[in-house]
Amino acid sequence: MSLPVHLNDTEIDEFGRELDHIYEEVMTSRGDRDAAYIRRVIKVQRWLALGGRIVIYASLGLLPYWGHALATWPAFLGVITLGTLMLGTAKILENMEIGHNVMHAQWDWMRDPEIQSSSWEWDTVCPSDQWKHSHNVMHHTWTNVIGKDRDVGYGILRVSEAQAWSPKYLPQMLYNTLLGLFFDWGVALHDVEAERLIAGEKTWKEALPTLKGIGRKVVRQVGKDYLAYPLLAGPFFLYVLGANFTANIIRNVWSYMIIFCGHFPAGSQVFTVEQVENETRAKWYVRQLLGSCNITGGKLFHIMSGNLSHQIEHHLFPDMPSNRYPEVAPRVQALCARYGLAYNSHSLGRQFGTTTWKILRLSLPTPNAA
């Protein structure tokens, strides 16, 4: 069984060589402007995080409790909302444009000990080492291969007709909503493989090391956002805790939307294990292309998405610095047009809308279910 394209093996090999050329050209030209970019993003992120927390604390001085002229509920709510948005934005930048891409080894070439894939620990409850296994190894190797890539539905959702329907999918819009709100927890538990535990295919003893790693990270994250920082506010503990919780929810919902738009919108394809047997590098490129989707938008949108709005280019070249994806995307799209290959790129509204509709539709049995 072959990939669902009209090209013969010789044409696919030539397509792969042209992508190799783009990759080599960019990777050999990495230099000061790329290093300056990631250091600037990190600097902005850290100032946003610090500024957001300071504004949250400053808002407490506007509580009506103090009785001065500016101490009103509207003033307090306005300022604490500003601080929460700043903190949520900082968390998005840290997880998406910095953490995700640093852990893909996109910046290892700089040899900066503070920006290395081997040592970066991100601001989320998922331990970095576990994420690098489930994401970098499993997802990027087996992208959209049913039964191999656990990101296809994350073990709880039916996102393709190729997944057999069962009654457990009927309430999947509820699972989907909860996953979006608490996405970092879903990512953290991804490597536990809960569905295999429930099915008896994996033992609790086998899952224990993974659970211990998650537990250590949860203690650190919960201790920071829901205990240490709120305690600094004394009797106003709950206000700071609420702001931190909301900032995490903002980060979760945004990350969920961007990531789900990467592989599940209308037009994205899934594959069987048989289709990837003896797969060449060129055919791997074609699979990454057909299984990934881009989101159109402006420069700020791309940065806030971690440049995963260029999901196609990210999957073709996962260790390429993310700031280079916008410049290679038109070349990749032109190459696809020349070879007659689909290049799935649409607005956030279209990609997220078709993804949500697919999850709703596939909660019910479909005629061509496996």
Side-chain angles (χ1 to χ4, degrees):
M1 188 178 293
S2 59
L3 293 170
V5 293
H6 63 281
L7 304 178
N8 59 40
D9 286 354
T10 302
E11 291 168 328
I12 290 176
D13 287 344
E14 184 57 31
F15 175 74
R17 277 192 286 275
E18 295 208 46
L19 285 175
D20 281 340
H21 176 71
I22 293 173
Y23 174 75
E24 293 299 334
E25 185 181 301
V26 172
M27 297 300 270
T28 56
S29 68
R30 293 171 300 183
D32 291 345
R33 76 177 174 98
D34 303 293
Y37 170 79
I38 190 61
R39 288 187 173 120
R40 186 164 61 248
V41 173
I42 291 173
K43 187 175 181 180
V44 168
Q45 187 275 327
R46 288 176 178 172
W47 276 110
L48 261 177
L50 176 63
R53 293 195 187 279
I54 290 173
V55 172
I56 289 170
Y57 288 125
S59 72
L60 302 177
L62 298 174
L63 282 165
Y65 168 82
W66 300 106
H68 58 75
L70 296 176
T72 62
W73 282 113
F76 163 71
L77 291 173
V79 175
I80 198 169
T81 299
L82 173 64
T84 303
L85 289 174
M86 292 171 66
L87 184 58
T89 302
K91 286 176 175 286
I92 288 171
L93 272 178
E94 198 283 333
N95 281 192
M96 303 291 279
E97 181 64 341
I98 303 171
H100 171 274
N101 295 329
V102 168
M103 290 189 288
H104 263 295
Q106 293 182 6
W107 306 100
D108 283 5
W109 59 274
M110 291 167 56
R111 300 189 185 281
D112 183 331
E114 294 188 4
I115 315 175
Q116 290 293 302
S117 60
S118 59
S119 58
W120 190 274
E121 189 59 63
W122 58 352
D123 182 20
T124 165
V125 291
C126 180
S128 294
D129 58 338
Q130 292 184 22
W131 180 85
K132 282 186 283 190
H133 172 258
S134 63
H135 183 82
N136 292 2
V137 178
M138 299 305 294
H139 171 58
H140 273 267
T141 301
W142 299 101
T143 306
N144 283 25
V145 177
I146 300 292
K148 290 287 189 180
D149 180 7
R150 296 188 65 258
D151 280 23
V152 179
Y154 291 87
I156 59 172
L157 301 175
R158 182 173 181 242
V159 295
S160 166
E161 284 87 350
Q163 294 170 275
W165 182 85
S166 80
K168 70 180 182 182
Y169 293 121
L170 283 172
Q172 72 171 5
M173 281 303 290
L174 174 62
Y175 309 154
N176 182 52
T177 301
L178 293 173
L179 182 61
L181 290 171
F182 303 101
F183 193 59
D184 63 331
W185 291 87
V187 172
L189 294 171
H190 195 36
D191 232 18
V192 176
E193 301 181 310
E195 77 280 8
R196 292 189 62 214
L197 280 173
I198 294 169
E201 299 169 0
K202 183 176 182 178
T203 66
W204 284 100
K205 186 177 180 180
E206 290 173 317
L208 191 57
T210 305
L211 289 168
K212 284 182 176 177
I214 295 170
R216 288 190 289 270
K217 190 67 189 293
V218 167
V219 168
R220 174 174 162 178
Q221 290 297 116
V222 170
K224 173 174 67 76
D225 276 343
Y226 301 135
L227 188 62
Y229 281 121
L231 278 175
L232 293 176
F236 306 112
F237 178 94
L238 289 179
Y239 292 113
V240 176
L241 185 150
N244 292 349
F245 176 79
T246 305
N248 281 324
I249 295 294
I250 291 170
R251 180 272 317 278
N252 284 347
V253 172
W254 178 257
S255 303
Y256 154 83
M257 288 179 66
I258 296 298
I259 290 167
F260 266 50
C261 287
H263 298 290
F264 303 150
S268 61
Q269 299 197 30
V270 296
F271 310 91
T272 64
V273 173
E274 291 75 19
Q275 284 178 298
V276 300
E277 284 182 351
N278 303 314
E279 186 179 56
T280 63
R281 179 171 176 80
K283 288 183 178 179
W284 180 86
Y285 275 141
V286 173
R287 177 163 58 86
Q288 302 301 322
L289 168 69
L290 299 179
S292 304
C293 309
N294 281 6
I295 313 169
T296 55
K299 184 175 181 180
L300 180 60
F301 173 79
H302 292 313
I303 293 172
M304 293 303 294
S305 77
N307 272 298
L308 293 178
S309 48
H310 299 102
Q311 190 74 239
I312 292 172
E313 287 70 28
H314 173 60
H315 265 264
L316 293 173
F317 315 122
D319 62 346
M320 179 182 288
S322 59
N323 63 315
R324 296 297 194 99
Y325 292 148
E327 72 184 49
V328 301
R331 300 175 65 184
V332 172
Q333 186 169 9
L335 190 64
C336 290
R338 186 149 53 82
Y339 281 83
L341 293 170
Y343 185 90
N344 191 328
S345 182
H346 298 280
S347 68
L348 178 64
R350 187 271 186 190
Q351 302 294 49
F352 189 65
T354 59
T355 295
T356 304
W357 169 242
K358 181 186 287 186
I359 293 170
L360 176 62
R361 181 171 59 83
L362 294 181
S363 66
L364 301 173
T366 49
N368 54 344

